[in-house]
């Protein structure tokens, strides 16, 4: 691991295994090219994130791309998150076109040019699969942020990612029965990695949600700066506080209306009061009205 421009850069153990295998089989040039492609792919993410004044803590390089960890994760607007995600595959577009052009102009050996543009095509398209933490998974998260509250967005992202990772593993295993090539080991390993990552993500949703709540003040600042209207949330007096905070949306600031079953509004509180009470309350299942008596 090295630190450059304030960012920790590391190579994932999965990539290390690929490197060892490539060196042992004599594919060093292909390995070095793959490393450069993945590095430029991740630099694309970092440059766009930095343009939004976001802090990138660490970049982990993987054989099919990488993972850039943002310090501001959870408070980044969905639109910015989508632009950061798509910036990686866009690097593969220009690199692939450049390699193809060099081959057509005779500047590179046609076979080598074909390898480089096909490698970029493979990495770019693979990263667009709607599986977290691939770029396609992050684009899916950004899209879901406009149709679901934050907690539901995380749940659906993890569920879809687990399902698609399982399908990837199943396909890799099924080739043993339909092809003379046997099991697609690379696809199997990547599928297992993505499945494990998303299973861990699913189990850590409660902790990730708390991190989201701890950065809600930034949403308030952006809302006030834009002069945007607060989004109302109407809840029953007896709803547990944990159920109320799970109704918060990613880019919306909320006013919480506490309503009796008869339809009378008892109290209106800004979301900050609800979030602060939740973060300090020992029993998150207490009725929300009990916190404001």
């Amino acid at each position: 691991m090295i630190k450059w421009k304030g960012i920790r850069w590391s190579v994932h153990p999965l990539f290390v295994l690929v490197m060892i295998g490539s060196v042992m089989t004599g594919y060093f040039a292909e390995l070095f090219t793959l490393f450069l492609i993945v590095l430029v792919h991740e630099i694309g993410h970092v440059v766009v994130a930095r343009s939004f004044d976001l802090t990138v803590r660490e970049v982990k390089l993987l054989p099919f791309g990488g993972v850039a960890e943002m310090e501001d994760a959870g408070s980044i607007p969905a639109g910015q998150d989508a632009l950061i995600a798509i910036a990686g595959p866009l690097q593969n577009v220009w690199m692939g076109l450049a390699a193809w052009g060099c081959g057509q102009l005779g500047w590179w050996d046609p076979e080598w040019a074909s390898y480089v543009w096909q490698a970029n095509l493979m990495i770019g398209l693979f990263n667009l699969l709607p599986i977290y933490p691939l770029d396609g998974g992050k684009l899916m998260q950004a899209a879901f942020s406009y149709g679901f509250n934050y907690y539901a967005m995380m749940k659906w992202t993890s569920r879809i990612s687990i399902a698609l990772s399982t399908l990837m593993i199943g396909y890799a295993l099924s080739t043993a029965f339909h092809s003379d090539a046997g099991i697609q080991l690379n696809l199997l390993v990547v599928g297992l990695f993505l499945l494990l990552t998303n299973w861990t993500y699913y189990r850590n949703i409660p902790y990730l949600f708390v991190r989201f709540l701890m950065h809600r003040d930034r949403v308030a600042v952006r809302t006030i700066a834009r002069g945007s209207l607060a989004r109302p949330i109407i809840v029953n007096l007896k709803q547990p506080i944990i159920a109320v905070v799970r109704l918060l949306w990613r880019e919306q600031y909320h006013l919480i209306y506490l309503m009796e079953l008869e339809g009378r509004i008892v109290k209106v509180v800004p979301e900050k009061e609800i979030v602060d009470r939740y973060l300090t309350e020992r029993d998150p299942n207490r009725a929300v009205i009990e916190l404001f008596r």
Side-chain angles (χ1 to χ4, degrees):
M1 183 179 70
I2 62 172
K3 193 164 186 177
W4 181 60
K5 296 291 185 180
I7 304 171
R8 295 192 303 271
W9 297 77
S10 61
V11 178
H12 193 276
L14 188 60
F15 204 171
V16 174
L17 291 176
V18 172
M19 290 179 175
I20 294 173
S22 299
V23 171
M24 292 178 63
T25 54
Y27 288 97
F28 182 78
E30 289 81 359
L31 166 65
F32 184 70
T33 302
L34 178 64
F35 180 83
L36 288 179
I37 290 173
V38 170
L39 182 61
V40 173
H41 178 107
E42 288 306 306
I43 288 175
H45 294 310
V46 171
V47 169
V48 176
R50 286 285 187 88
S51 72
F52 292 129
D53 294 325
L54 300 175
T55 302
V56 183
R57 292 188 300 179
E58 183 176 3
V59 175
K60 294 180 181 179
L61 302 180
L62 289 141
F64 49 82
V67 178
E69 295 184 6
M70 309 288 174
E71 189 173 294
D72 312 274
S75 64
I76 303 173
Q80 292 184 9
D81 221 0
L83 290 174
I84 293 168
I86 200 63
L90 287 178
Q91 308 312 305
N92 298 117
V93 172
W94 75 258
M95 286 190 291
L97 289 174
W100 178 82
C102 287
Q104 294 296 309
L105 294 171
W107 295 349
W108 286 6
D109 177 74
E111 186 176 344
W112 179 250
S114 178
Y115 169 78
V116 175
W117 76 255
Q118 287 182 23
N120 275 285
L121 179 66
M122 178 190 69
I123 291 174
L125 290 179
F126 184 83
N127 269 276
L128 289 175
L129 291 176
I131 304 175
Y132 187 82
L134 300 179
D135 299 328
K138 294 177 180 178
L139 289 172
M140 177 173 64
Q141 275 192 333
F144 282 177
S145 295
Y146 294 105
F148 299 97
N149 59 57
Y150 193 80
Y151 189 82
M153 178 272 288
M154 289 194 295
K155 284 281 189 181
W156 278 109
T157 296
S158 59
R159 288 168 180 167
I160 292 173
S161 297
I162 288 172
L164 293 179
S165 300
T166 303
L167 286 176
M168 185 183 297
I169 293 169
Y171 175 77
L173 293 172
S174 69
T175 57
F177 303 99
H178 304 290
S179 172
D180 295 335
I183 297 174
Q184 293 193 19
L185 187 58
N186 290 340
L187 191 62
L188 176 62
V189 171
V190 171
L192 289 170
F193 167 79
L194 292 173
L195 178 61
L196 178 61
T197 298
N198 282 287
W199 179 247
T200 303
Y201 176 78
Y202 182 80
R203 296 194 61 175
N204 286 334
I205 282 178
Y207 308 104
L208 296 172
F209 185 66
V210 169
R211 186 176 69 174
F212 161 74
L213 294 177
M214 292 175 69
H215 291 295
R216 287 298 291 174
D217 57 326
R218 300 179 185 179
V219 177
V221 170
R222 288 199 297 266
T223 301
I224 294 170
R226 294 195 304 262
S228 303
L229 296 175
R231 178 171 183 160
I233 295 179
I234 302 174
V235 300
N236 186 293
L237 296 176
K238 296 183 179 180
Q239 275 187 263
I241 185 173
I242 189 172
V244 176
V245 295
R246 287 179 178 178
L247 296 174
L248 302 182
W249 287 60
R250 181 174 185 168
E251 294 188 53
Q252 301 285 338
Y253 191 80
H254 303 281
L255 292 177
I256 314 298
Y257 289 71
L258 306 184
M259 180 181 286
E260 292 180 334
L261 292 177
E262 295 78 13
R264 185 174 69 90
I265 300 294
V266 175
K267 193 175 184 65
V268 180
V269 296
E271 72 165 57
K272 185 178 187 307
E273 289 192 34
I274 297 285
V275 171
D276 288 346
R277 295 295 181 92
Y278 172 76
L279 293 175
T280 57
E281 175 61 37
R282 293 184 178 181
D283 181 12
N285 291 304
R286 284 182 64 190
V288 66
I289 190 59
E290 295 181 14
L291 305 176
F292 296 97
R293 284 178 177 170

